[in-house]
């Protein structure tokens, strides 16, 4: 779901002086966590060190609420440094803030470098991750004398799904959840396979219908060259480090390009960002300008991909297989350890059968059926995905017994229509942000913020304040 | 939690002509079930055959609700044949009735005779059992064209705990739960260690204070003989097949005796029953009469134990170690396969640190600390119990976000005070049955029923009818 870009993380963590809001002064700590919550006799009958970030800078000790970020598929610093809204809320509410890292990501590798072997990878499941958070919250509340402090969970994207699930499964521990851009329906097999890339395409269409036409045409030109096996021309047009030699390489190039457009749509923020790589302000507009200004379509496509893959201009050529990893998630698996762990999750519980079809979207048709997924996952990880499991386990759209969840989504975000878009009850609230990209609302305030996200954050803030108040009454 | 008695099950299943209510004509079937719901790369990456009983005799096809019994620690026929109230309700509501067998019990052994080896036993957890039921309900609803049929779960004792958990964890699947005699608090480490045997004692005290005095005295006499190492006298007094030779044997004898009183208290029904063995009507009264009529205290104790262990009079002597199994559950683990599986559950998730102390109860002091439990479980199963897990995982008494659960308890039942005794909200209803023993309300109507259980069943029936009505509106 997340594609992390090369060279970005180090930059991120070390240089966050560009931030304008309250700077989080996190302590980085490790929690001794149960390896296997669901089998007392497995290899997991032990513990591992789970990383978390914590700051009590604004906390009214023993009274202020706990804001707990349910970490998703990546280094936890990445999320901590790109969720400034939580810190802004923490100041208002005098909250203790914790960002917990998801097992098998970042530095929370249960078996070190062996974590991605079979069978060690088997302890990577949504349920284990949720149990980690439940145990961590329970234990830290004790240690910190915070037993009466209401806990609100926050998360973006898959992290938002985890926040929803925490509220559903651990209502005893979690008083409410802000789930930003959480595609709980599409990942549970309740979406349409064409939805995602159609919505990516729509973002570009909104800038200018000509933009999508030109992108389509660029892909078409590439296809013609590939059919003619004019691989030399393709290499030079796209500045590829290695000459493509097969249909497989062309497929990889198409995936690499499609992924660039996907990322620009997801991260179409109104100011430049350094989340999952460097992105200019309004990247979709920048991309369309690039596409429309080039004289050569293929070069324009390459330059557009370069916005994502070569923001610093340091690369002299594109190494397709290192810059983009194809996996069980057609929207991208990221790079490095992330890619392995997320690939496994997309092969087991998280259903991601999105495909482009060149009809409802501007990309080459790249089918990815349930059967493709099964074959890949069986070969790669020795697993057969269990369709319908996430829906059974985490309720799908049957949320009538749930409460205290905000589902926020931005209309620019291709993930949005895989989530809950309509308010379901007085305590299951959908907030839609017309000018918002992927969990923009979780980011700190910025002068370039559209009015819709400012309004959304205000509603979120008010609702969370109300949950905290209600929870306090319950403790009395 | 359950102690099954010898020779009882076969009798039960084959001869249920003594029943007076509607006879369930169950089909016995097997469901191909996922072995390991929480690890895609474990040895459990396969399936096993889970037994269930089903009857559509009263079902209004595709419309009537589904009544689903969440099987507990035993052969599923045992529960199906002793829960006649569910059938009576099914007639009223035109319901489909399913009794599902819990993995690792009865014929639902995932690894056959190897199921109780390490590590095969590791897939025996509450979470796996709940996931089994969730998957089974979801799949059977599809197969039977019952997608719009509301599902109500029922369970007694540990089965009642599972019913509560099903409603908490799978509100998308289960509209409501009748949890009869479900000690959700004491088993989650939220009880008092003295509670259980104190309440057993109270049942005898209620018949006559002299009764408990005499029982106390009998145990005291036994203790004196043991201290004098007069093992021959002990053997003859208690008709033991083997002469005791150690303090360990005396400990076993004490456990064997205490267990008889426990069972009579739990199963203190106003008519004779064949659930977990044969029991006369009002066994606590019968026991007190026996205790008070004998001239010799030790013989009286033996004869009282015989009510439980030798109801048919077929035994000429008591083989202590085959009639009673000491395990991680001080209230008894049953016999045969049951004992192994339940012992494992009491060593892992289910906390059962009850002990008798000879002060607040009439039994010899038989300490069973958290540390005793750890040592035993570590040695027997290679596991360390995780205190607090059940409370974290299944909410303990923090049920404010839950709904549609009836907690019924009988005042005669020593398990009752480990459960929810007070109504928590308009949809979390406690029903207390002053004259009721262990889930008497789940049994079919009987002429000897006290008024309190008749009233309780009526309230249960009304509440369930209302849940079904509400759920139907939701589907519309």
């Amino acid at each position: 779901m997340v594609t992390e870009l090369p060279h970005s993380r180090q930059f991120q963590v070390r240089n966050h002086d560009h931030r304008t809001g309250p700077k989080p002064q996190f302590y980085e700590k490790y929690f001794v966590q149960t390896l296997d919550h669901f089998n007392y006799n497995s290899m997991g009958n032990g513990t591992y060190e789970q990383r978390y970030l914590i700051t009590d800078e604004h906390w009214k000790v023993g009274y202020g609420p706990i804001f707990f970020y349910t970490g998703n598929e990546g280094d936890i610093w990445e999320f901590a440094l790109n969720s400034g809204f939580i810190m802004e809320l923490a100041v208002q509410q005098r909250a203790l803030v914790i960002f917990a890292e998801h097992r098998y990501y970042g530095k929370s590798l249960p078996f070190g470098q062996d974590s991605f072997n079979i069978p060690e990878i088997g302890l990577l499941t949504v349920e284990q991750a949720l149990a980690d958070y439940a145990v961590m919250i329970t234990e830290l509340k004790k240690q910190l004398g915070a037993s009466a402090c209401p806990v609100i969970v926050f998360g973006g994207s898959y992290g938002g799904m985890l926040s929803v699930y925490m509220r559903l499964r651990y209502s005893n521990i979690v008083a409410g959840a802000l789930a930003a851009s959480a595609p709980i329906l599409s990942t549970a097999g309740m979406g349409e396979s064409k939805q995602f890339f159609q919505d990516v395409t729509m973002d570009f269409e909104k800038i200018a219908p000509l933009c999508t036409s030109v992108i389509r045409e660029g892909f078409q030109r590439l296809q013609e060259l590939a059919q003619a096996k004019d691989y030399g021309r393709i290499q030079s047009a796209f500045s590829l480090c290695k000459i493509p030699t097969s249909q497989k390489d062309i497929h990889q190039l198409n995936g690499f390009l499609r992924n660039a457009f996907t990322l620009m749509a997801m991260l179409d923020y109104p100011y430049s960002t350094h989340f999952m790589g460097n992105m200019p302000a309004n990247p979709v507009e920048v991309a369309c300008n690039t596409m429309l200004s080039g004289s050569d379509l293929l070069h324009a496509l390459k330059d557009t991909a370069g916005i994502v893959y070569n923001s610093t201009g340091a690369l002299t050529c594109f190494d397709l297989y290192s810059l983009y990893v194809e996996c069980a998630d057609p929207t991208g698996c990221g790079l490095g350890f992330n890619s392995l762990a997320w690939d496994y999750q997309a092969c087991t519980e998280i259903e991601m059968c999105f495909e482009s079809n060149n009809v409802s979207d501007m990309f080459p048709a790249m089918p990815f059926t349930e059967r493709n997924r099964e074959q890949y996952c069986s070969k790669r990880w020795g697993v057969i995905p269990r369709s319908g499991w996430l829906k059974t386990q985490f309720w799908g759209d049957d949320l009538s017994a749930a409460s205290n969840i905000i589902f926020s989504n931005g209309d620019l975000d291709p993930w949005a229509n895989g989530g809950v878009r309509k308010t379901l009850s007085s305590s299951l609230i959908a907030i839609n942000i017309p000018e918002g990209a992927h969990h923009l609302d979780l980011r700190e305030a910025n002068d370039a913020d559209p009015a819709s996200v400012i309004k959304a954050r205000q509603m979120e803030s008010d609702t969370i304040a109300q949950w905290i108040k209600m929870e306090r009454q319950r403790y009395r």
Side-chain angles (χ1 to χ4, degrees), chain A residues 361-374:
Chain A
D361 59 64
M362 65 192 179
F363 301 111
M366 297 176 78
F368 185 67
T369 63
E370 189 57 48
R371 183 144 174 70
N372 293 145
R373 182 176 172 233
E374 272 177 24

Side-chain angles (χ1 to χ4, degrees), chain A residues 99-304:
Chain A
F99 278 76
E101 190 163 73
H102 193 296
R103 56 166 60 196
Y104 287 84
Y105 294 95
K107 292 196 172 166
S108 300
L109 304 180
F111 301 95
Q113 304 305 306
D114 295 330
S115 300
F116 306 98
N117 296 344
I118 299 170
E120 285 84 350
I121 188 76
L123 297 181
L124 171 55
T125 63
V126 172
E127 288 83 359
Q128 299 277 11
L130 297 175
D132 282 347
Y133 297 148
V135 167
M136 185 190 279
I137 293 170
T138 303
E139 183 58 32
L140 291 182
K141 282 185 87 168
K142 264 187 229 162
Q143 287 178 14
L144 298 166
S147 57
C149 301
V151 177
I152 308 292
V153 289
F154 296 79
S157 195
Y158 168 53
M161 291 164 56
L162 295 174
S163 287
V164 173
Y165 302 162
M166 282 301 288
R167 173 63 189 161
L168 300 184
R169 304 308 285 276
Y170 296 101
S171 299
N172 51 327
I173 296 174
V174 166
L178 170 53
S181 305
I184 62 163
L185 303 179
S186 57
T187 55
M190 302 178 75
E192 276 193 275
S193 61
K194 68 178 181 183
Q195 173 262 313
F196 187 87
F197 293 109
Q198 178 173 303
D199 287 355
V200 172
T201 302
M202 278 306 296
D203 282 355
F204 291 84
E205 185 86 8
K206 270 183 217 157
I207 299 294
L210 187 58
C211 181
T212 50
S213 314
V214 172
I215 294 166
R216 253 178 212 279
E217 215 176 311
F219 276 110
Q220 180 58 34
R221 194 73 56 86
L222 167 56
Q223 175 63 9
E224 287 157 13
L225 289 179
Q227 271 165 354
K229 300 203 171 167
D230 194 347
Y231 293 133
R233 180 91 184 278
I234 293 174
Q235 181 184 26
S236 76
F238 287 97
S239 298
L240 305 181
C241 302
K242 289 178 196 155
I243 187 165
T245 59
S246 63
Q247 196 47 45
K248 175 173 170 288
D249 290 343
I250 300 303
H251 179 82
Q252 178 70 13
L253 175 56
N254 277 325
F256 165 88
L257 294 170
R258 189 181 68 176
N259 187 55
F261 290 99
T262 296
L263 279 167
M264 291 186 285
M266 276 171 62
L267 306 172
D268 192 20
Y269 302 124
Y271 50 90
S272 74
T273 57
H274 308 280
F275 176 54
M276 301 195 270
N278 302 316
M279 203 59 86
N282 302 306
V284 171
E285 196 180 338
V286 173
C288 284
N289 289 342
T290 306
M291 283 307 300
L292 295 170
S293 63
S295 56
D296 179 278
L297 264 184
L298 295 184
H299 279 103
L301 252 185
K302 180 206 65 176
D303 290 342
T304 306

Side-chain angles (χ1 to χ4, degrees), chain A residues 297-358:
Chain A
L297 264 184
L298 295 184
H299 279 103
L301 252 185
K302 180 206 65 176
D303 290 342
T304 306
I307 298 169
V308 170
Y309 295 111
N310 197 17
S311 63
T312 61
L315 298 182
T316 54
C317 64
F318 291 133
D319 180 354
L320 288 182
Y321 290 93
S322 76
L323 289 169
Y324 172 69
V325 178
E326 195 180 29
C327 70
D329 177 358
T331 75
C333 269
L335 293 167
F337 282 153
N338 286 3
S339 73
L340 289 171
W342 186 249
D343 187 34
Y344 185 77
Q345 294 203 262
C347 268
T348 49
E349 299 180 292
I350 317 279
E351 300 183 34
M352 298 271 214
C353 286
F354 292 126
E355 50 189 17
S356 53
N357 57 32
N358 198 241

